[in-house]
Amino acid sequence: MQVQVKLFAFFREGRFIKEDRELANGTTAGEVVDSLDIDREEVGVLMLNSKHCQFETILQDGDVYAIFPVIGGG
Amino acid sequence: MADMIFRVNMSDLSTTLEDVPADWAGHGGRGLTSTIIAAEVPPTCHPLGPNNKLVIAPGLLSGTAAANSGRISCGAKSPLTGTIKESNAGGTSAQALAKMGCKALIIEGEPKDDTWYTLRLTSEGVTIEKEEELIGKGNFAVVDALEKRNTESIGVISIGQCGEMQMASANISIKDPDSHFRSCGRGGLGAVMGSKKIKAIALDAGDNKVEIADIDAFRAANKIFAKALVDHPVSQALGTYGSNVLVNIINESGGFPTRNFTQGQYEDHEQISGETMHDIIVERGGKPKHGCHKGCVIQCSQIYNDAKGKYKTSGMEYESIWGLGADCTVNNLDDIAEMDSIMDDIGIDSIETAVAFAVAMDGGLLDFGDANEMIRILRDEIGKGTPLGRVIGSGAGNVGRTYGVTRVPVVKNQGIPAYDPRAIKGIGITYATSTQGADHTMGYTIATEILAVGGKADPLSKEGQVELSRNLQIATAAIDSTGMCLFIAFAALDDGACLPALIDMLNARFGIALTADDVTNLGMSILKTEHAFNLAAGFTNKDDRLPEFFSLEPIPPHNAVWDFTDDEIDTFWDF
Ligand code: SF4
């Protein structure tokens, strides 16, 4: 299945901004984080199709998946 | 030397130094400005008339070595909202006021003629001088001139042309360590200063220092406090990308108001994002990391240069970039920086003005995305006070009424900032119930709803949002009294050592024994004082509502509407 993966802030360094990835059925959000060599501890927010999700969430074909480090502002 | 109240009466041009009344001693910053206004300003007075007062106060810890403690609070009855108002900013003035022993500066009365004045404050008190040279000038020229008249290190609080013309969005500008500006932006307090015919206030603290009751305990607590701030990952991201790091995440969440609040995502978000801004700054030899006052260890501000590498502006915040960018669909950071710089100079709130422009675009006055026309209007209409300039410079509500627009995002006539309350519902409760009109900083539920700092809440659900907003509004009122920048809240929400260290610093500074409960009670009592002022000014619970269009127009991509009932909103005040 195809999932669009988007990275933000310093997660982009040495990686990418946006990429369509071919993933095995049943891949979880956390497994994508691991495959990108991103430390789960550094992850602040995961969003799937503009809604918050968890490391355990199973991705579906056509999903848009965004990975943010811990950030803030206001 | 005990702290004093510095009082200036502009009706008879007299000044006095007064002992601090016992009731006011435990207050600083917002708590003090609101307490004084509630005590001395008739709630039904005209905000630009002689009975309103402008109160300026440093926070409780300002002037000390406490990290991030340099916020200054300006308070008055607001000409924009008609409510009580406190607006705070960084810069060097809070530290100067605290060091000279000024607990608060109260400016009352109004000159009977058109003569303008400049105030000069030292530890000895206030002198009032006639001002001619600087009338009609922008803030940059004011700072230049005052530095020449005094010393380069002089603190400056000033108004630009918009404040002189008493526009309802005029801000009060505070000089920063580089002689640029931070703004007490919201609520038109610059117009109140203009109504008192005060163009600028020069602050000379000399060699005075703030006294600390227990310096060893203070230093120990500050060390823990500063470490909690520096270590927190949010602080690190703020130092790299500024608060503008929020563009992409708020956009991703679908709560990024675009095209005057008709969409929740902006197709060109990447072009105005914190990531892009960081790269532009570095490429042009600017500074991505910069503090708005000495002692800030987070440094969310930045120096933004133009394409030729020449200084253009600093301290661009997420909300300004959102407003001029997504809400007006301007996708170019250089255009936004140009507008930010003009607004610093003429002295007008960048949030209110951006929201006003977007409403004007919706009303057909100019095209969405027409940055050149926005720049022209800022410079030649608003800055010069033409009729059109005054219409826009008096805020989004005013533009909506003038051009017959129904989609006007304001609460209590103050423009709604950068987070859509349909898709991020908790912040809608803050907008609705805040004592000061729509203002995200009053209870920043975004931390919990979107950023997962200090717990989690589903932004699309009403569940728990009233309580979340209430707790944050109470905590914020207390933090706004300490002189602390609100960005300490991320560490305070997450790191158990941070808040106790802050309380230890307060205790060591004043030789007192506050507990965490005392701080919560302080926050509650400030909110209640402000709320009581508003009720006495004629506001009711019916004013704690969002504009109708939020219930009628679903916002994509979630197609959410504002769906809190009136009764649900009103439970906010059950404490
Ligand atoms: S974090 Fe930003 S707003 Fe806060 S004190 Fe530092 S530079 Fe100023």
Side-chain angles (χ1 to χ4, degrees):
Chain A
M1 63 173 181
Q2 267 225 337
V3 170
Q4 184 179 81
V5 180
K6 301 200 268 188
L7 301 179
F8 297 92
F10 60 85
F11 284 170
R12 291 177 172 180
E13 285 165 23
R15 297 193 186 90
F16 55 86
I17 295 176
K18 193 171 15 175
E19 213 170 83
D20 289 327
R21 300 211 135 199
E22 202 43 55
L23 300 175
N25 282 345
T27 303
T28 65
E31 284 163 0
V32 175
V33 170
D34 300 340
S35 75
L36 290 165
D37 221 7
I38 291 173
D39 186 347
R40 289 192 186 203
E41 289 279 300
E42 290 193 345
V43 172
V45 171
L46 303 174
M47 282 190 208
L48 196 58
N49 306 320
S50 292
K51 290 186 178 168
H52 290 75
C53 71
Q54 319 294 326
F55 288 123
E56 299 73 40
T57 307
I58 295 170
L59 306 180
Q60 308 290 336
D61 188 38
D63 276 347
V64 176
Y65 173 40
I67 307 172
F68 298 88
V70 182
I71 55 176
Chain B
M1 182 183 70
D3 287 346
M4 305 290 277
I5 300 292
F6 291 31
R7 192 183 292 270
V8 178
N9 185 317
M10 294 305 292
S11 296
D12 60 12
L13 302 181
S14 64
T15 71
T16 51
L17 285 183
E18 298 165 11
D19 291 333
V20 178
D23 287 1
W24 297 358
H27 284 295
R30 171 177 167 192
L32 186 56
T33 62
S34 289
T35 299
I36 294 175
I37 287 153
E40 298 195 354
V41 173
T44 52
C45 75
H46 195 293
L48 302 178
N51 286 323
N52 198 8
K53 302 192 182 190
L54 177 63
V55 183
I56 303 179
L60 287 165
L61 291 172
S62 299
T64 71
N68 287 60
S69 62
R71 304 289 292 193
I72 188 164
S73 291
C74 292
K77 176 172 172 170
S78 161
L80 184 73
T81 63
T83 64
I84 200 164
K85 174 62 65 178
E86 183 265 0
S87 189
N88 62 68
T92 62
S93 291
Q95 292 165 334
L97 280 174
K99 286 179 183 169
M100 69 175 70
C102 178
K103 179 88 175 161
L105 169 66
I106 304 176
I107 301 170
E108 56 195 30
E110 257 175 35
K112 291 181 186 53
D113 61 15
D114 273 340
T115 312
W116 283 86
Y117 300 89
T118 303
L119 305 184
R120 189 166 192 283
L121 269 66
T122 68
S123 58
E124 310 281 299
V126 187
T127 46
I128 307 175
E129 287 149 22
K130 268 198 187 151
E131 183 60 63
E132 282 169 1
E133 180 197 347
L134 300 176
I135 306 313
K137 297 266 165 45
N139 285 310
F140 289 104
V142 172
V143 159
D144 238 23
L146 290 186
E147 287 182 350
K148 283 192 188 112
R149 282 183 209 172
N150 299 277
T151 60
E152 222 165 84
S153 62
I154 195 101
V156 178
I157 299 171
S158 75
I159 55 172
Q161 295 90 339
C162 297
E164 285 183 37
M165 293 184 275
Q166 300 180 40
M167 292 185 197
S169 320
N171 66 22
I172 294 181
S173 299
I174 315 287
K175 188 185 122 174
D176 80 2
D178 300 322
S179 305
H180 302 135
F181 293 103
R182 310 296 297 191
S183 311
C184 292
R186 308 235 61 194
L189 297 184
V192 178
M193 190 158 148
S195 74
K196 311 278 179 216
K197 295 277 186 292
I198 295 174
K199 177 67 179 172
I201 305 170
L203 308 167
D204 184 354
D207 298 329
N208 292 291
K209 289 205 164 57
V210 167
E211 280 168 29
I212 309 240
D214 183 344
I215 186 72
D216 291 335
F218 187 89
R219 284 199 185 121
N222 191 25
K223 217 168 144 189
I224 297 169
F225 180 71
K227 183 169 175 351
L229 298 188
V230 171
D231 286 352
H232 197 274
V234 165
S235 307
Q236 292 165 13
L238 278 169
T240 308
Y241 306 102
S243 62
N244 200 32
V245 70
L246 292 177
V247 163
N248 280 336
I249 194 165
I250 305 299
N251 184 71
E252 193 65 28
S253 80
F256 191 53
T258 300
R259 253 184 189 267
N260 193 31
F261 287 75
T262 56
Q263 302 160 212
Q265 289 179 321
Y266 180 36
E267 58 278 15
D268 292 339
H269 63 95
E270 198 63 63
Q271 277 148 265
I272 60 168
S273 69
E275 288 90 334
T276 300
M277 186 167 92
H278 171 267
D279 293 347
I280 291 176
I281 290 173
V282 170
E283 192 186 295
R284 295 176 179 175
K287 279 194 208 159
K289 187 173 174 158
H290 176 256
C292 74
H293 69 271
K294 198 165 148 246
C296 167
V297 298
I298 298 174
Q299 306 203 335
C300 78
S301 178
Q302 74 297 117
I303 303 280
Y304 186 97
N305 291 343
D306 65 17
K308 294 192 185 106
K310 212 173 128 245
Y311 173 82
K312 175 49 75 182
T313 194
S314 60
M316 279 204 287
E317 298 283 357
Y318 160 67
E319 285 74 17
S320 315
I321 294 169
W322 155 76
L324 299 165
D327 203 31
C328 294
T329 67
V330 169
N331 62 8
N332 182 311
L333 277 171
D334 284 337
D335 288 335
I336 293 171
E338 177 70 30
M339 292 189 246
D340 188 72
S341 163
I342 297 171
M343 288 193 275
D344 273 352
D345 197 33
I346 64 177
I348 197 161
D349 181 24
S350 55
I351 298 179
E352 192 64 42
T353 308
V355 176
F357 266 121
V359 172
M361 289 168 175
D362 217 343
L365 182 67
L366 68 167
D367 289 337
F368 276 100
D370 190 348
N372 289 338
E373 180 64 359
M374 290 168 77
I375 290 169
R376 189 196 69 76
I377 288 176
L378 280 170
R379 202 177 270 143
D380 298 341
E381 309 274 0
I382 300 179
K384 300 217 164 90
T386 64
L388 174 64
R390 286 170 191 263
V391 167
I392 298 179
S394 294
N398 195 47
V399 173
R401 282 187 296 278
T402 310
Y403 286 89
V405 181
T406 52
R407 195 181 298 111
V408 185
V410 295
V411 179
K412 302 184 178 76
N413 202 42
Q414 180 164 284
I416 291 181
Y419 314 88
D420 197 290
R422 289 162 288 191
I424 314 178
K425 295 188 188 294
I427 200 69
I429 294 294
T430 295
Y431 297 153
T433 57
S434 141
T435 51
Q436 323 211 0
D439 184 336
H440 62 291
T441 67
M442 290 284 136
Y444 195 63
T445 60
I446 305 303
T448 318
E449 295 185 89
I450 302 292
L451 307 170
V453 175
K456 287 183 183 169
D458 178 358
L460 290 163
S461 156
K462 296 196 286 183
E463 180 88 31
Q465 301 289 15
V466 173
E467 200 189 348
L468 175 66
S469 175
R470 183 195 298 128
N471 290 339
L472 287 169
Q473 290 198 51
I474 290 168
T476 302
I479 291 177
D480 282 345
S481 301
T482 60
M484 286 290 161
C485 161
L486 206 47
F487 289 166
I488 69 149
F490 293 102
L493 285 166
D494 269 353
D495 182 335
C498 185
L499 216 50
L502 175 57
I503 295 169
D504 288 347
M505 282 196 288
L506 286 166
N507 289 334
R509 157 84 164 93
F510 296 102
I512 50 175
L514 289 179
T515 63
D517 281 349
D518 294 330
V519 174
T520 307
N521 288 335
L522 174 70
M524 285 191 198
S525 82
I526 294 167
L527 286 190
K528 287 185 173 169
T529 300
E530 293 172 344
H531 190 224
F533 181 96
N534 292 345
L535 296 179
F539 287 85
T540 71
N541 59 327
K542 300 280 185 282
D543 295 295
D544 291 353
R545 303 290 180 256
L546 296 193
E548 187 187 29
F549 82 89
F550 285 116
S551 320
L552 301 178
E553 300 179 10
I555 182 122
H558 297 300
N559 293 320
V561 292
W562 176 251
D563 51 1
F564 276 96
T565 65
D566 291 357
D567 288 344
E568 285 167 343
I569 298 172
D570 289 344
T571 61
F572 175 86
W573 286 105
D574 294 347
F575 66 92

